[in-house]
């Protein structure tokens, strides 16, 4: 069965590589679909509204990172985060605040590289080698970094190196150190989400539930309609390309 975290295409070599990579979890996007299985998307800057499936290109980076990022790095972070989402939706308290923080950072990084793909990068200047496409695909599937002629690596492998470094960089560790995620619910109005929040500590997990990071542990809270509207304005301001809800 295909994981809802990924979209896979099978290569002739037998390797399964994720070609269409969601920068935000498909499992979360699906919580916002309507009866027609579409998500309402409002694009910036013109306010154009569309209803799109969760596999639409707007939510996806096309091979922006390697299979190592998709599988070895992203899947464990997504799995731990989704466990907390499921717990919150069942009315329970968040147990693993770090799992939410790790996902928020991963989402931020993947969004950046999905919208700003890396160019090929020179790693070993002057190195002479011949790399067939089939061998490069095998390397990708097996979490290797294939070296092209001239000592170059494809942009998606450069992105994996960057993401691995940024997930543990002192600057990012400091931002999330000691962060607690508060559950904020709405009983009437619906939350919308930005396509990314960068270092604003917000994650909308479904139309009626938002997680907000802070440095003190706080009890779950039911937001009145005017406060939901305030969070939605924050989403609109934070959005780089669109909001969805």
């Amino acid at each position: 069965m295909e994981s809802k975290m990924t979209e896979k295409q099978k290569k002739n070599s037998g390797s399964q590589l994720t070609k269409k990579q969601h920068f935000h979890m498909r499992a979360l996007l699906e919580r916002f679909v309507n009866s027609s299985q579409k998500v309402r998307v409002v694009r910036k800057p013109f306010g154009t509204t569309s209803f799109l499936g969760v596999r639409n290109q707007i939510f996806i980076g096309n091979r922006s990172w390697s299979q190592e990022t998709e599988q070895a790095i992203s899947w464990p972070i997504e799995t731990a985060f989704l466990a907390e989402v499921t717990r919150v939706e069942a009315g329970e308290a968040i147990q693993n605040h770090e799992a939410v923080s790790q996902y928020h950072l991963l989402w931020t990084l993947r969004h950046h590289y999905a919208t700003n793909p890396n160019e090929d990068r020179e790693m070993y200047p002057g190195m002479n080698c011949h790399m067939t496409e089939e061998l490069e695909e095998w390397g990708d599937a097996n979490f290797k970094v294939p070296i092209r002629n001239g000592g170059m690596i494809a942009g998606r492998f450069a992105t994996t190196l960057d993401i691995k470094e940024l997930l543990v960089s002192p600057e990012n560790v400091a931002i999330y150190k000691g962060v607690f995620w508060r559950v904020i619910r709405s009983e009437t109005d619906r939350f919308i989400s930005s396509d990314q929040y960068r270092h604003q500590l917000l994650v909308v997990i479904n139309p009626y539930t938002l997680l907000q990071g802070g440095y003190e542990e706080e009890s779950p809270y039911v937001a009145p309609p005017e406060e939901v509207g305030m969070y939605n304005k924050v989403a609109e301001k934070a959005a780089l390309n669109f909001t969805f809800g």
Side-chain angles (χ1 to χ4, degrees):
M1 179 179 294
E2 179 184 316
S3 167
K4 289 190 176 181
M5 297 179 194
T6 64
E7 308 254 1
K8 293 183 178 179
Q9 295 181 2
K10 195 167 186 177
K11 296 293 291 182
N12 293 333
S13 63
S15 300
Q16 281 195 328
L17 298 173
T18 305
K19 299 298 186 67
K20 294 184 177 180
Q21 302 162 323
H22 283 85
F23 57 77
H24 196 30
M25 280 180 66
R26 181 176 150 193
L28 281 192
L29 295 172
E30 288 177 340
R31 285 163 161 79
F32 293 86
V33 299
N34 59 21
S35 58
S36 299
Q37 299 303 298
K38 303 290 185 180
V39 180
R40 181 177 183 269
V41 173
V42 181
R43 300 172 191 257
K44 293 180 73 172
F46 304 114
T48 304
T49 299
S50 306
F51 290 87
L52 306 172
V54 298
R55 299 186 185 193
N56 188 275
Q57 189 64 36
I58 200 170
F59 301 118
I60 286 170
N62 188 21
R63 296 200 86 175
S64 299
W65 46 82
S66 74
Q67 191 68 14
E68 182 181 4
T69 290
E70 187 70 14
Q71 189 171 342
I73 297 172
S74 295
W75 290 6
I77 292 173
E78 290 175 335
T79 299
F81 171 66
L82 195 57
E84 297 306 314
V85 170
T86 302
R87 188 172 285 118
V88 167
E89 291 180 331
E92 301 175 17
I94 293 175
Q95 292 185 4
N96 187 350
H97 293 269
E98 185 178 356
V100 183
S101 294
Q102 278 283 287
Y103 179 76
H104 185 276
L105 176 56
L106 179 68
W107 173 21
T108 301
L109 296 175
R110 292 194 306 197
H111 180 278
H112 172 75
Y113 289 110
T115 53
N116 302 277
N118 265 324
E119 300 288 337
D120 292 355
R121 183 176 296 173
E122 187 178 49
M123 294 292 290
Y124 302 98
M127 180 177 178
N128 294 317
C129 59
H130 177 68
M131 179 70 62
T132 64
E133 182 181 357
E134 183 178 18
L135 185 57
E136 184 170 300
E137 295 291 278
W138 179 89
D140 197 350
N142 288 276
F143 307 162
K144 310 299 182 184
V145 181
I147 309 298
R148 295 175 174 174
N149 199 33
M152 305 293 290
I153 63 173
R156 68 184 185 276
F157 298 104
T159 294
T160 290
L161 296 178
D162 290 346
I163 287 177
K164 289 169 72 172
E165 178 181 347
L166 290 168
L167 282 171
V168 296
S169 71
E171 294 83 0
N172 286 326
V173 169
I175 289 169
Y176 293 95
K177 184 177 181 180
V179 167
F180 296 96
W181 291 87
R182 186 185 196 184
V183 179
I184 300 176
R185 305 184 192 277
S186 171
E187 294 180 341
T188 53
D189 294 36
R190 296 174 183 173
F191 292 108
I192 63 171
S193 176
S194 174
D195 57 345
Q196 55 82 46
Y197 282 101
R198 304 264 174 210
H199 295 312
Q200 290 180 288
L201 299 178
L202 297 168
V203 185
V204 183
I205 63 172
N206 64 48
Y208 296 99
T209 314
L210 174 148
L211 306 181
Q212 182 172 32
Y215 295 95
E216 294 182 6
E217 194 164 10
E218 299 185 75
S219 300
Y221 171 70
V222 176
E226 59 270 19
E227 195 166 326
V228 175
M230 180 272 291
Y231 282 112
N232 289 346
K233 288 186 183 300
V234 170
E236 291 171 352
K237 186 174 181 180
L240 183 65
N241 295 312
F242 63 90
T243 62
F244 66 91

